[in-house]
Amino acid sequence: MPTAIAVTSADLALPPTDPGTPHATVLPAPDTQSLDASIADMQQLLARYGHVVVVCPTSAPAAVEQRLRAVRALLESDRIALVRTDLPPLGAAVLVRQLRQLAGCDFSPGVLASAARLLAHYIYAGAVLGSVSRLDRVPVSLGSHLKGWLPGAHFAVLAGPTAQITRVGSGEVTLPGPEFTTELLLARGQLQTDWPTTTLVPGWRIHGAVLETPLPEASPRWWGTGKLVEFAAYLPDLPVLYQLVSSVRRETCHWCAMDLIGDRCGFCGAPLQVGAVPEQGGRALNGGRGGGRGDGGTRALGPGAQATPPAGPYQAGAHPGPYQAGAHPGPYQGPHATHPGHAGHATHPGDATHPGHPASSYTELTPVNVQGNVPGKPTRALP
């Protein structure tokens, strides 16, 4: 049974890529549903799926996050993961769809929740704006503000994985794009421009036809203007996403005993402590590696709680596949990142850190197109 992927807005639930992609559950806004109803809905999801991963953008109203935390606290359940993302609305929707694709595979709930931070750094999300005067989520230089006063000035803004702004026109600086083949998704607002299709498609190695979707309701507020065309370049193929996540070494959270990849647990948020033994007492731990608990997910309170910790952390295994060796420009490089392109899975050099977090343990890969069947292809969920 796949882990349930829930979202806080209908705009985050893009159409599935194929019949095997599970659907996302849209949680009603706090002003349209009582707390008791929210608790009842979450109980139904837990009873049906076992674990729930809720994706909530950091740009969502504070009341949305408060409601989610209240529901999780009142249920006293450690089977609800609250995943926050800084991506703009269209990029966040792409991330949710990738998690839905992976939810139909054999990943544990803990790996799925912690994979969101890894996948976000392979999504190139931005927009073409008619004005940057109200843009406050991406650093805007004084020169860009001054150029914005010129008649007909348009700006191409990249919000992730690295922030950059360039003026659209003669002598423009090309936005840094992915070094792997991607697909491009567009959402048109009130701005009339073909810049993404005429400039990004040839410069970013976009594969196939450019897809379009309605502009998310939150996009004008996120970008500070309704005169925009939002875009997101992403990895569309499930085999590539599967090997990207499965090639990262798995650890066990020392607090909730969930599986995780990277340096932070997706369920409880505890940072990775290499070699730490899951605590005994005061916390009921999972009896398996990141699986559901037999007690229905209720946390045992008090010092007398006893549980058997899971076996040791996962070890990196063999991951043959269509990857090529090479350093990716993204920020994740760490001591536990194994590079499948090297013989013997040698440790990838470098130890960059994510802003605001300790040294990460995500792998750096350069995915390419998949041809033929991939060894170890994931099990697909029924539609």
Side-chain angles (χ1 to χ4, degrees), residues 81-354:
L82 180 57
V83 176
R84 309 304 306 273
T85 177
D86 294 327
L87 288 172
L90 188 62
V94 169
L95 173 63
V96 170
R97 187 165 62 181
Q98 290 180 336
L99 291 176
R100 289 159 52 193
Q101 290 177 273
L102 294 172
C105 304
D106 55 358
F107 291 118
S108 67
V111 170
L112 190 63
S114 56
R117 291 180 59 235
L118 169 63
L119 297 175
H121 286 269
Y122 289 84
I123 298 175
Y124 285 69
V128 182
L129 307 178
S131 172
V132 293
S133 59
R134 296 184 179 180
L135 179 62
D136 57 2
R137 298 187 180 276
V138 177
V140 182
S141 64
L142 178 60
S144 296
H145 277 294
L146 295 177
K147 293 177 182 178
W149 290 97
L150 298 176
H154 294 165
F155 295 88
V157 183
L158 186 65
T162 58
Q164 185 167 332
I165 299 179
T166 181
R167 184 188 173 193
V168 175
S170 59
E172 65 185 53
V173 178
T174 304
L175 293 177
E179 295 186 353
F180 44 85
T181 302
T182 60
E183 285 188 0
L184 187 67
L185 182 65
L186 294 182
R188 298 185 182 274
Q190 302 175 8
L191 186 64
Q192 299 298 323
T193 179
D194 293 328
W195 187 87
T197 56
T198 59
T199 302
L200 288 186
V201 170
W204 279 16
R205 299 172 58 188
I206 303 299
H207 175 72
V210 177
L211 306 177
E212 295 196 15
T213 189
L215 185 71
E217 184 180 353
S219 293
R221 183 176 63 254
W222 201 98
W223 294 103
T225 179
K227 296 182 178 181
L228 80 158
V229 175
E230 193 170 4
F231 57 83
Y234 59 96
L235 294 167
D237 298 325
L238 177 58
V240 176
L241 295 173
Y242 182 86
Q243 290 199 8
L244 177 63
V245 175
S246 62
S247 63
V248 183
R249 176 176 174 176
R250 303 183 189 183
E251 302 284 354
T252 301
C253 178
H254 72 282
W255 175 246
C256 68
M258 280 286 189
D259 290 343
L260 64 91
I261 60 175
D263 57 12
R264 191 168 297 274
C265 178
F267 273 81
C268 69
L272 173 65
Q273 293 186 9
V274 180
V277 179
E279 297 182 10
Q280 296 283 347
R283 178 76 170 170
L285 303 178
N286 295 331
R289 296 182 176 181
R293 292 218 313 264
D295 60 0
T298 303
R299 181 173 59 185
L301 304 178
Q306 298 292 331
T308 303
Y314 284 92
Q315 301 295 327
H319 298 287
Y323 290 108
Q324 295 178 348
H328 187 275
Y332 280 119
Q333 296 176 357
H336 300 301
T338 55
H339 197 301
H342 292 272
H345 287 205
T347 301
H348 192 283
D351 190 18
T353 57
H354 186 277

